[in-house]
Amino acid sequence: MTLFNRRTALKLGLAGGALLATAPMTLAQLRIVVEGANFQPLPIAIPDFASSDPAFGREIADIVRNNLRRSGLFLPLDPASLPVAVGDVNATPDFNVWRTANVDGVVMGAVERGGQITASVRVWDTQQAAQVVGNSYATDPNSARRIGHLVSDAIYSQLTGGTGYFDTRVLYVAESGPKANRVRRLAIMDQDGANVSYLTDGQTMALTPRFSPNGDLVTYMNFAEGNPQVYLLQLSTGRQQRLANVGAMTFAPRFSPDGNTVAFSVEQGGATNLYAVSTGGGQPLQLTSGAAIDTSPSYSPDGSRIIFESDRGGSPQIYLMGAGGGNAQRISFGQGSYSTPVWSPNGDLIAFTRQSGGQFHIGIMNPDGSGERLLYSGYHAEGPTWAPNGRVIMFFQDPGGNDGPRLMSVDIWGRAAQTVPTESYASDPSWSGLRG
């Protein structure tokens, strides 16, 4: 039985117990290769998980179905249409029955809740009559939904060749109340909208929360002192502190990849420039200078470079420079203005907001500005954040009128655009890395 630690739990193909080790393992043909937006999702059968509590087995199976469906790469079949209602993780499936039902992939799971939650899962390629995923998990009783997310990550990882992203959390700004007097407070939830908790009380406005790489620190913009100032919040203790004492306003913070530095904007004397400061305090380092508005810095994954937004050329565009500042080069050259650039976790793409043709667009480009593609277009869509596998982007969209903003997601092929469920209006999402 695998202890509840991602580093060991997702060693796919290495079964957690003798039971799962008995089946032959193969990559077989049950594998998703995505080459463009015309890709057809893989149909996959997921019967309810076997359990002494059938409702619990159905709940965990539903989490897996919903995760895989939202990814856009899988098409979980209607459980009512399956030849088997409840999976048997202990037995080899009758492959002829599943082939007759035109099912290529079958997920069999079992889950029990007691002093611990234990789960086992197998994925079978019915055409090759072979197992492609086999693993076991154990966790504390308060982490039931995480079992579903870990199983989802296991299936996604093995069948797509990429890393899963379901066992993650999202920071965002929860908005409530009338539009003219909206309360904005920090909130955190699972990536599927469950397990919401609130980090600030709404007495002062909070905006642009950003996760640190280790997932425990958050940096955000706090209006407690009137003008916005960058703060740090430690999730494990609730401790908050102002990050730096510089300029009239500080805003748009983001962590370096090692989590030891925050880059941010400082408004002072009519100019807005970028600075960086250690999370432990000290003297901020000025990275840009001039009369332009420089904002929205984002580090490359190796920490050597920063992309940012600047209107130094007359309209907001994306610029690239070394992490120490200086010699900034413009990389965005499409029609309209560009903002909120964010480097992907893999370092191969940059997400951004583009405003042109009377619309907002969420797009991606290569780090040198080439290969620009627009993934989503709509009224007031902005603020992209990356899933840790670099394949999905979350952002927010405000439809205008009396409504408030909502979170949205889309994949890097421009598919699977959908609303992310939240308890309230929501904006400014920040996606965590995989939980440890």
Side-chain angles (χ1 to χ4, degrees), residues 47 58 80 82 87 110 133 145 198 229 231 278 290 320 359 370 372 429:
R58 187 177 309 113
L82 303 181
V133 175
R145 292 187 62 85
Y198 296 93
Q229 300 292 339
Y231 271 60
S278 168
L320 172 67
Q359 285 205 90
S370 64
E372 179 177 327

Side-chain angles (χ1 to χ4, degrees), residues 6-266:
R6 169 171 296 278
R7 292 178 181 83
T8 55
L10 293 185
K11 290 179 179 176
L12 299 176
L14 302 179
L19 167 69
L20 299 184
T22 59
M25 300 292 293
T26 178
L27 290 180
Q29 295 177 357
L30 191 66
R31 195 168 179 87
I32 297 173
V33 179
V34 181
E35 296 179 343
N38 294 325
F39 166 81
Q40 294 297 313
L42 174 72
I44 190 167
I46 309 175
D48 289 349
F49 283 16
S51 177
S52 58
D53 178 355
F56 184 51
R58 187 177 309 113
E59 176 188 350
I60 300 302
D62 276 339
I63 291 171
V64 177
R65 294 178 191 122
N66 291 334
N67 280 337
L68 297 182
R69 181 182 296 109
R70 287 197 316 275
S71 77
L73 302 185
F74 298 85
L75 182 63
L77 303 176
D78 180 359
S81 71
L82 303 181
V84 172
V86 179
D88 184 353
V89 78
N90 300 323
T92 300
D94 185 336
F95 295 113
N96 287 327
V97 169
W98 292 102
R99 291 175 191 141
T100 301
N102 294 316
V103 172
D104 291 333
V106 178
V107 177
M108 296 294 189
V111 62
E112 292 295 345
R113 180 161 45 191
Q116 281 189 317
I117 294 175
T118 58
S120 301
V121 64
R122 281 173 155 176
V123 180
W124 298 90
D125 181 336
T126 63
Q127 298 304 311
Q128 299 295 313
Q131 178 181 308
V132 293
V133 175
N135 219 334
S136 299
Y137 309 90
T139 184
D140 65 87
N142 297 320
S143 299
R145 292 187 62 85
R146 285 196 67 192
I147 286 286
H149 296 320
L150 283 169
V151 169
S152 304
D153 282 338
I155 297 168
Y156 184 101
S157 178
Q158 187 68 10
L159 298 189
T160 71
T163 305
Y165 61 94
F166 303 112
D167 188 30
T168 57
R169 297 186 293 174
V170 175
L171 278 169
Y172 65 100
V173 175
E175 303 192 15
S176 58
K179 192 156 193 172
N181 190 27
R182 190 72 41 91
V183 175
R184 293 177 172 89
R185 52 182 174 160
L186 300 190
I188 189 170
M189 66 181 186
D190 295 348
Q191 54 79 28
D192 61 355
N195 294 328
V196 177
S197 61
Y198 296 93
L199 307 177
T200 59
D201 60 14
Q203 294 298 308
T204 60
M205 186 163 59
L207 297 176
T208 64
R210 302 289 180 249
F211 266 117
S212 66
N214 72 5
D216 188 38
L217 272 183
V218 172
T219 185
Y220 73 102
M221 195 163 66
N222 188 329
F223 285 75
E225 301 170 42
N227 287 333
Q229 300 292 339
V230 173
Y231 271 60
L232 292 178
L233 166 64
Q234 189 170 33
L235 294 178
S236 57
T237 64
R239 181 172 177 266
Q240 294 194 57
Q241 65 184 73
R242 183 172 167 179
L243 178 64
N245 187 15
V246 57
M249 294 188 291
T250 58
F251 54 97
R254 197 177 294 272
F255 285 98
S256 61
D258 63 9
N260 294 328
T261 303
V262 174
F264 58 102
S265 291
V266 175

Side-chain angles (χ1 to χ4, degrees), residues 292-304:
I293 298 175
D294 297 338
T295 189
S296 298
S298 175
Y299 284 91
S300 61
D302 65 3
S304 67

